[in-house]
Amino acid sequence: MAISKTLADELEKRRAAALDGGGAKKAEDRHAKGRMTARERLDALFSKGTFQEFGLHAKHRTRHFGMEKKDIPTDGVIVGTGFVDGRPVAAFSQDFGVVGGSLGEIHSKKICHALDHAVKAGIPVIGFNDSGGARIQEGVGALAGYGQVFYRNVQLSGVVPQISIIAGPCAGGAAYSPALTDFIIMTRENAQMFICGPEVIRSVTGEVTTMDQIGSANAHASISGNIHFIADNDAHAVALAHRLLSFLPSNNMQDPPHQVEPDLSVVDDPALDELVPEDPKSPFDVRTVIQHLADDADFLEVQELFAQNIVIGFGRIGGIVVGFVGNQPTVKAGTLDIDASDKAARFVRFCNVYNIPIVTLVDVPGFLPGVKQEQQGIIRHGAKMLFAYASATVPKITVIMRKAYGGAYLAMCSEDMGADRVIAWPTAEIAVMGAEGAANILYRKEIKEAEDPASRSKELIEEYRQEFATPYLAAGELMAHDVIQPRETRSAVALALRGLMSKRETRPPKKHGNIPL
């Protein structure tokens, strides 16, 4: 016997009302500003026809401030699962067109369901943040909802990848959920993220500022370092999420999506020999080296505009997904400072938790000197890199291209810090400090008493460099496992990676280490 037409019609009517969200007029207004609706974002994210929604008929339970008369379709957030390039992914999309996408009890429960499902199914989760904040009419219930989301963000951390897309306002406490996730993509226009806005700052501190200075994508990408990618618009944000997922496993028990071919191509790249300037003080762009090492020069840089003295990102070598970490000689001479240390350490820890091998490219003259650096805690921040590398158990391959001085040499994953393979170029200088500084300390008296101190200093510096600041001294003591021509680097790294894919390494049993935060 067929289902009652009355019941079927009632379902379709309810579906239509929920799917309409904030209505056609609000959708048109968003399109006029070059923005997608909440549903359109999910449609762009998932392969066509694969989205399965949870909570389409969700209703709020607030009975104060006239809320009992207000209908809020989907309670302002769309939640479900779908497929991205054949892989299941959980997602939620806040709907600013419905009561400003404000978060209340049921709204938060829907997001929590997505997060709970992601951890049970072992799949990544992507959140589109576009909300006016807590639903004030629900009082502390809305705050509790945020707490429940934050708690789950932490539970999922290191279990499944979490990606946040800031596609509208994300203010106050709401900003902490994206901050707890692995990667943040933020649209260049129409998106803001902040704890206290310009008016609050002015009223409390007297400081006059603008939203561009504190809450824009550019401010977060280049100054605070809170976000990882800037997207031109919603469609670009989705494309970045797709590309990011292409390098990541679905969970911490799986390997990344390697594309290993049975036959490994071992071919020299003569162009690498031409990249390194003869003068050790002349800078070169480490991104060019990375592009020569990565398959098809395909490199997804992370936090491109923040702490530019170090470069991080994903690529493949011989089909194997790797995380690249490289000093950037063109910025601050490649020195490590507070921001660079934080940026690299967090990336190394992400790679480790998701079984992504790490390739480290070294050209570091040391930690950046300066009163501000010392006062703001360069010791603590620099120690994060030591902690991150030492605790990582994934394959770790280090290529020493040029300078590798002092504690910064150790912080860039030396053999003593757990590197599985250390390869040096003939241009490598591995030493406690640069030849100039060392010679002026060791031979201070001799230089002072010489007839021509400047000339004698130059001679002694060169003698020190030739005898001590070479890769062969380190290779002789097995601190470097081989010295190779730059053109041989890609083949050497690819072979080492292939041989380390079965690596197994354990650590003493413990809850967790106490990283110097």
Side-chain angles (χ1 to χ4, degrees):
M1 190 172 180
I3 187 172
S4 164
K5 186 177 185 303
T6 302
L7 294 178
D9 290 346
E10 176 67 14
L11 172 59
E12 293 307 317
K13 178 182 175 182
R14 288 175 177 267
R15 273 183 176 172
L19 292 171
D20 191 43
K25 178 64 171 64
K26 288 185 177 180
E28 289 172 6
D29 290 343
R30 293 181 72 81
H31 294 158
K33 296 176 182 177
R35 307 175 69 187
M36 294 180 177
T37 66
R39 286 195 178 277
E40 287 168 346
R41 289 166 179 162
L42 292 176
D43 288 342
L45 176 66
F46 293 126
S47 300
K48 188 175 181 179
T50 66
F51 179 59
Q52 289 186 296
E53 187 167 353
F54 166 81
L56 176 68
H57 306 287
K59 298 289 183 182
H60 71 89
R61 299 190 290 192
T62 310
R63 292 295 175 265
H64 303 294
F65 309 106
M67 290 291 287
E68 70 278 4
K69 301 174 184 177
K70 184 171 287 190
D71 182 52
I72 304 177
T74 70
D75 207 51
V77 64
I78 303 162
V79 173
T81 60
F83 284 80
V84 176
D85 295 327
R87 297 165 57 190
V89 172
F92 65 86
S93 182
Q94 292 181 309
D95 192 344
F96 195 81
V98 177
V99 292
S102 58
L103 183 141
E105 176 201 6
I106 301 302
H107 184 118
S108 69
K109 278 189 174 182
K110 291 180 67 175
I111 294 175
C112 288
H113 176 83
L115 300 177
D116 290 340
H117 177 79
V119 76
K120 284 192 290 186
I123 60 177
V125 59
I126 296 176
F128 290 90
N129 296 81
D130 188 1
S131 168
R135 195 173 297 161
I136 298 173
Q137 296 91 334
E138 296 197 22
V140 293
L143 288 180
Y146 276 123
Q148 290 159 15
V149 173
F150 300 163
Y151 182 83
R152 283 165 173 80
N153 287 141
V154 175
Q155 301 311 303
L156 267 64
S157 181
V159 181
V160 297
Q162 299 179 80
I163 300 171
S164 295
I165 297 176
I166 312 300
C170 185
Y176 286 117
S177 178
L180 290 168
T181 62
D182 298 305
F183 295 100
I184 301 177
I185 302 167
M186 189 170 179
T187 56
R188 194 181 304 277
E189 305 292 339
N190 304 309
Q192 308 88 36
M193 183 168 64
F194 56 90
I195 298 299
C196 298
E199 288 303 313
V200 173
I201 292 174
R202 185 184 58 79
S203 65
V204 174
T205 70
E207 293 177 285
V208 177
T209 186
T210 65
M211 186 57 72
D212 281 345
Q213 289 178 300
I214 62 168
S216 67
N218 187 62
H220 286 302
S222 61
I223 301 172
S224 69
N226 285 328
I227 72 171
H228 302 82
F229 303 96
I230 293 181
D232 294 330
N233 50 43
D234 290 346
H236 186 208
V238 170
L240 284 171
H242 282 180
R243 188 157 184 232
L244 185 54
L245 284 174
S246 73
F247 292 106
L248 309 182
S250 291
N251 58 67
N252 64 345
M253 300 302 289
Q254 293 182 357
D255 284 332
H258 301 308
Q259 298 172 1
V260 181
E261 296 181 0
D263 297 322
L264 178 62
S265 174
V266 181
V267 180
D268 287 352
D269 183 358
L272 278 171
D273 290 342
E274 308 299 324
L275 287 178
V276 184
E278 187 173 342
D279 181 358
K281 292 183 179 179
S282 295
F284 67 96
D285 192 340
V286 74
R287 291 188 188 90
T288 308
V289 177
I290 293 172
Q291 288 167 354
H292 277 270
L293 297 182
D295 296 350
D296 303 318
D298 183 25
F299 173 56
L300 176 61
E301 186 169 355
V302 176
Q303 288 187 298
E304 180 180 358
L305 300 178
F306 178 68
Q308 296 182 55
N309 43 326
I310 200 159
V311 173
I312 60 174
F314 299 105
R316 287 181 174 83
I317 299 179
I320 295 174
V321 174
V322 300
F324 286 102
V325 179
N327 303 114
Q328 177 56 290
T330 62
V331 180
K332 299 181 182 177
T335 53
L336 295 176
D337 60 5
I338 287 172
D339 287 342
S341 298
D342 286 356
K343 172 181 171 179
R346 189 164 192 264
F347 183 72
V348 167
R349 285 174 69 79
F350 176 85
C351 289
N352 184 56
V353 82
Y354 288 111
N355 311 310
I356 299 172
I358 303 165
V359 175
T360 305
L361 304 174
V362 184
D363 184 3
V364 63
F367 284 95
L368 181 66
V371 174
K372 282 189 176 181
Q373 288 289 307
E374 296 293 340
Q375 290 179 340
Q376 292 173 9
I378 184 61
I379 295 172
R380 181 178 74 255
H381 290 273
K384 294 177 187 179
M385 289 193 66
L386 297 167
F387 194 102
Y389 271 121
S391 59
T393 58
V394 293
K396 294 176 286 188
I397 298 172
T398 299
V399 180
I400 303 175
M401 302 181 295
R402 294 199 300 183
K403 299 176 291 295
Y405 296 160
Y409 152 67
L410 299 174
M412 290 301 293
C413 199
S414 67
E415 199 270 346
D416 298 291
M417 292 303 296
D420 298 296
R421 192 68 55 89
V422 179
I423 302 164
W425 288 357
T427 48
E429 298 180 21
I430 304 166
V432 175
M433 63 175 66
E436 290 83 357
N440 287 329
I441 292 172
L442 294 170
Y443 307 117
R444 180 181 298 146
K445 185 177 180 182
E446 184 176 343
I447 292 171
K448 186 177 180 181
E449 295 174 351
E451 290 184 11
D452 185 351
S455 178
R456 185 56 181 152
S457 174
K458 190 174 180 180
E459 290 173 2
L460 291 171
I461 288 170
E462 189 56 33
E463 286 178 15
Y464 181 90
R465 180 176 283 116
Q466 292 298 324
E467 185 170 354
F468 298 106
T470 76
Y472 304 107
L473 187 64
E477 298 178 7
L478 297 180
M479 293 179 184
H481 303 134
D482 199 4
V483 181
I484 66 171
Q485 301 289 358
R487 64 176 175 268
E488 301 168 339
T489 308
R490 176 175 155 81
S491 297
V493 173
L495 284 167
L497 283 169
R498 191 70 66 95
L500 285 165
M501 293 310 293
S502 57
K503 176 185 175 182
R504 295 291 180 269
E505 187 175 349
T506 59
R507 291 287 185 268
K510 53 185 172 181
K511 265 192 174 181
H512 57 75
N514 188 17
I515 188 170
L517 296 173

